[in-house]
């Protein structure tokens, strides 16, 4: 990917996103740096209010996160505090329906694949069926167990001998609503989470990681989350770096692992916004080599995960290295996992010197070498359309 291809005359990008959001801004900067006009920004709020958007046949269309906007959150989840955890099932239904109202253009994201990526149960099942290593789960694939509340979680813990597990909202992101649950003898139990339970019983996201040791409190949280759908995964012992739990976020663009960051934490949740810190990537590579494994194989696991979503140009893979760094499993595949400001590409990736957004612009231009975008047609009222397959470099609906 080294070097940005000379843009074709008339090449034009469009982004469905939230104007002024850092994701949209960073992508727009990368497009301009490639010698192209700034992308046309189609606000998520307009898409949701007006029932869709039209794109010109030659516009290269990027779908960006609808997050970090209170009005968009209200349109997707309904009224309430943006910090609330509940409502993810309604958010998911609204998001998937909105994807189906975007018509025309050359899509960099497969709408059907985005729907899978935002359902942890379906995503886990797709990865597992493809032979990608993932934590064991009783809530994905054929015969998946329903989780109606804490009683079901407790029963599945006993049935599958999961003394340590992650309980995740099926449609959550950024660790929203995730609980790392540990049980021990004598009925003792503990949950580590960023969920804050208010006096009225409502659940809110917090930037503070806290521990609950009362089973009644944990049960109340799980029971409140269950109506939106829950996914359970066995808690795999992870590698460490400098005394802190470690995992990796690996960005895969056009099938190739291009960027990676080590995330470390003293809690089971390594998300950087929850107090996690960036670790030392060179140290991680050395640990993999010292364990008798190959770094290329580690990245290969991420590329195999991304290959399950061939119509989506870029994904962020959460990789869980096992204790000792010899093996790794995929925890999640994120549709919007590319927000790693100032991080440049891995050596030998072809993205050296480029951030995640510049890398995607380069890849998109290679996929669309002869794009000639006409001005977008006026928006018309949405109309029912039959589902059709999508692929990178093919027109979207």
């Amino acid at each position: 990917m080294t070097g940005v291809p000379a843009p074709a005359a008339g090449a034009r990008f469009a982004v469905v996103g939230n104007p002024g959001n850092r994701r949209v801004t960073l992508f727009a900067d990368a497009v301009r740096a490639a010698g192209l006009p700034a992308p046309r920004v189609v606000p998520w709020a307009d898409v949701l209010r007006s029932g869709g958007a039209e794109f010109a046949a030659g516009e290269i269309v990027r779908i960006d996160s609808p997050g970090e906007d209170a009005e968009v959150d209200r349109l997707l989840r309904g009224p309430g505090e943006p910090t609330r955890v509940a409502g993810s099932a309604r958010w998911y239904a609204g998001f998937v329906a909105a994807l189906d109202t975007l018509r025309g253009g050359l899509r960099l994201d497969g709408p059907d694949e985005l729907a899978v990526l935002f359902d942890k149960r379906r995503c886990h099942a797709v990865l597992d069926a493809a032979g990608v290593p993932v934590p064991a789960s009783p809530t994905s694939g054929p015969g998946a167990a329903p989780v109606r509340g804490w009683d079901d979680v407790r029963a599945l813990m006993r049935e599958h001998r999961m003394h340590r597990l992650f309980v995740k909202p099926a449609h959550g992101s950024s660790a929203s609503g995730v609980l790392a649950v540990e049980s021990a003898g004598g009925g003792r139990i503990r949950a580590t989470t960023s969920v804050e339970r208010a006096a009225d019983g409502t659940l809110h996201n917090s930037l503070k990681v806290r521990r609950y040791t009362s089973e009644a409190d944990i049960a109340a949280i799980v029971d409140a989350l269950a109506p939106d759908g829950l996914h359970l995964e066995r808690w795999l012992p992870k590698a460490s770096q400098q005394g802190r739990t470690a995992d990796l976020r690996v960005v895969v663009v056009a099938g190739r692992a291009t960027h990676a960051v080590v995330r470390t934490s003293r809690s089971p949740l390594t998300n950087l916004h929850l107090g996690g810190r960036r670790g030392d990537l060179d140290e991680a590579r050395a640990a993999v080599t010292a364990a008798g494994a190959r770094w290329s194989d580690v990245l290969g696991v991420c590329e195999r995960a991304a290959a399950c979503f061939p119509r989506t140009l870029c994904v962020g893979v959460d990789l869980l290295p096992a204790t000792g760094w010899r093996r790794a499993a995929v925890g999640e595949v994120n549709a919007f996992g590319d927000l790693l400001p100032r991080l440049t590409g891995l050596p030998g990736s072809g993205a050296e010197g480029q951030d995640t957004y510049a890398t995607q612009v380069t890849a998109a231009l290679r996929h669309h070498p002869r794009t000639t975008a006409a001005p977008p047609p006026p928006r018309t009222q949405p109309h029912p359309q039959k589902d059709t397959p999508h692929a990178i470099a093919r027109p979207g609906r």
Side-chain angles (χ1 to χ4, degrees):
M1 292 180 198
T2 303
V4 179
R12 190 66 187 259
F13 282 87
V15 180
V16 182
N18 295 326
N21 183 273
R22 53 187 174 163
R23 296 174 180 273
V24 173
T25 299
L26 288 168
F27 185 75
D29 290 345
V31 170
R32 285 192 295 266
L36 293 166
R40 181 168 73 100
V41 178
V42 178
W44 268 115
D46 290 355
V47 170
L48 295 167
R49 289 196 197 100
S50 62
E54 294 272 357
F55 299 92
E59 278 189 294
I60 305 172
V61 183
R62 168 186 169 87
I63 307 300
D64 219 323
S65 171
E68 301 179 356
D69 185 288
E71 174 63 8
V72 172
D73 184 76
R74 184 188 68 79
L75 290 168
L76 287 171
R77 281 201 295 168
E81 290 293 325
T83 60
R84 72 194 187 283
V85 180
S88 60
R90 179 173 174 175
W91 181 98
Y92 175 76
F95 175 65
V96 172
L99 292 173
D100 211 36
T101 68
L102 305 176
R103 300 175 297 279
L106 301 165
R107 298 286 289 273
L108 300 181
D109 315 83
D112 52 340
E113 294 182 352
L114 291 178
V116 174
L117 288 165
F118 274 95
D119 187 323
K120 297 183 194 303
R121 299 162 300 190
R122 295 175 65 191
C123 185
H124 185 281
V126 167
L127 296 171
D128 193 33
V132 176
V134 288
S137 170
T139 55
S140 75
V147 182
R148 293 156 297 209
W150 178 244
D151 288 344
D152 286 342
V153 172
R154 267 301 210 181
L156 290 169
M157 289 172 67
R158 289 191 295 269
E159 180 182 350
H160 295 271
R161 298 184 179 180
M162 292 191 299
H163 305 298
R164 302 170 83 230
L165 75 158
F166 282 89
V167 179
K168 302 179 178 182
H171 310 298
S173 62
S174 303
S176 173
V178 172
L179 294 91
V181 178
E182 304 170 82
S183 62
R188 292 174 297 164
I189 195 155
R190 179 172 73 175
T192 304
T193 180
S194 63
V195 172
E196 180 178 2
R197 188 165 177 254
D200 62 359
T202 58
L203 308 181
H204 295 268
N205 287 306
S206 168
L207 295 179
K208 177 183 177 182
V209 175
R210 62 196 71 222
R211 288 184 172 86
Y212 293 91
T213 56
S214 162
E215 184 163 359
D217 288 340
I218 297 169
I221 293 172
V222 172
D223 288 345
L225 293 173
D228 282 325
L230 290 174
H231 175 59
L232 311 185
E233 288 183 350
R234 187 177 298 276
W235 178 343
L236 302 180
K238 289 196 292 189
S240 63
Q241 187 176 96
Q242 298 178 15
R244 296 165 62 90
T245 299
D247 63 16
L248 293 95
R249 166 64 60 83
V250 180
V251 176
V252 182
V253 179
R256 189 165 189 178
T258 58
H259 297 73
V261 62
V262 178
R263 306 181 302 184
T264 71
S265 176
R266 296 198 183 282
S267 86
L269 306 178
T270 59
N271 301 71
L272 299 180
H273 72 285
L274 295 178
R277 295 201 310 241
R278 287 195 182 188
D280 189 320
L281 189 61
D282 289 338
E283 185 177 327
R285 293 182 64 168
V288 169
T289 302
R294 296 187 300 181
W295 180 246
S296 60
D297 291 341
V298 170
L299 298 181
V301 172
C302 301
E303 293 171 349
R304 287 166 54 199
C308 295
F309 307 97
R311 294 182 297 281
T312 299
L313 180 69
C314 175
V315 295
V317 180
D318 289 346
L319 192 70
L320 315 177
T323 302
W325 292 93
R326 187 172 177 81
R327 293 180 303 278
V330 171
E332 295 190 16
V333 182
N334 304 275
F336 306 129
D338 53 3
L339 183 61
L340 297 171
R342 299 178 299 280
L343 182 70
T344 54
L346 294 165
S349 68
E352 298 90 336
Q354 294 184 329
D355 68 9
T356 59
Y357 297 100
T359 303
Q360 291 172 72
V361 171
T362 299
L365 291 175
R366 292 194 189 283
H367 278 290
H368 304 289
R370 291 180 294 279
T371 299
T372 53
R379 190 186 68 80
T380 57
Q381 290 300 314
H383 53 277
Q385 293 199 5
K386 199 173 180 181
D387 284 347
T388 54
H390 291 72
I392 294 171
R394 294 183 182 174
R397 39 179 157 226

